[in-house]
Amino acid sequence: MPRELRLSREELKTLLGSRPPRLRGVFLDVAYGTALSGPKAACVVSKKTLPRAVDRVHVRRKIKAIVSSSLSEIHTPISVVFFVRANALEASHEKLALDIQNLVEKALISYNSRT
């Protein structure tokens, strides 16, 4: 994911500290809030969800590849944090892409209705 689309650790802490709204998908959960400039994203894979580091990195890379292409089309200043579920490891690229696309669209609709 390009650096300009990544959430920094400080931005992530600020966003999650404000208890943002969450949306649930099949393979991911999404928390979203306001970004200072352009769309930004982060991917969180906990050790509890996927104990093996190889699995966490594999899923994180798949998600970042999909997110970087979908966020480049958005011009709304929104921060999106993806929380991975355990079943995301077995998901195909197409199913993950569809889940991410649906969650980002729902987050944008909800975000635009709040502001």
Side-chain angles (χ1 to χ4, degrees):
M1 186 166 13
R3 187 173 296 275
E4 60 269 5
L5 294 179
R6 290 185 216 161
L7 272 174
S8 68
R9 286 186 182 176
E10 292 173 10
E11 291 171 325
L12 183 62
K13 285 180 184 178
T14 303
L15 177 65
L16 296 179
S18 65
R19 312 270 301 156
R22 283 195 178 204
L23 299 172
R24 295 184 69 86
V26 178
F27 305 108
L28 306 163
D29 293 342
V30 170
Y32 62 93
T34 305
L36 296 177
S37 62
K40 297 207 173 205
C43 179
V44 177
V45 186
S46 71
K47 284 185 182 180
K48 185 176 180 180
T49 304
L50 296 173
R52 293 179 53 207
V54 173
D55 295 337
R56 290 193 302 273
V57 170
H58 180 72
V59 170
R60 189 179 297 125
R61 284 185 179 174
K62 278 203 291 192
I63 290 171
K64 284 184 177 184
I66 296 167
V67 168
S68 64
S69 63
S70 65
L71 281 187
S72 61
E73 302 166 358
I74 299 172
H75 303 293
T76 306
I78 186 171
S79 296
V80 182
V81 181
F82 295 96
F83 295 94
V84 176
R85 293 176 159 195
N87 61 350
L89 184 60
E90 285 82 30
S92 68
H93 186 80
E94 293 80 20
K95 288 182 180 180
L96 268 178
L98 183 63
D99 197 28
I100 289 171
Q101 182 181 5
N102 290 339
L103 288 170
V104 169
E105 287 175 5
K106 287 179 186 178
L108 281 171
I109 291 169
S110 180
Y111 176 80
N112 289 332
S113 67
R114 289 186 345 170
T115 56

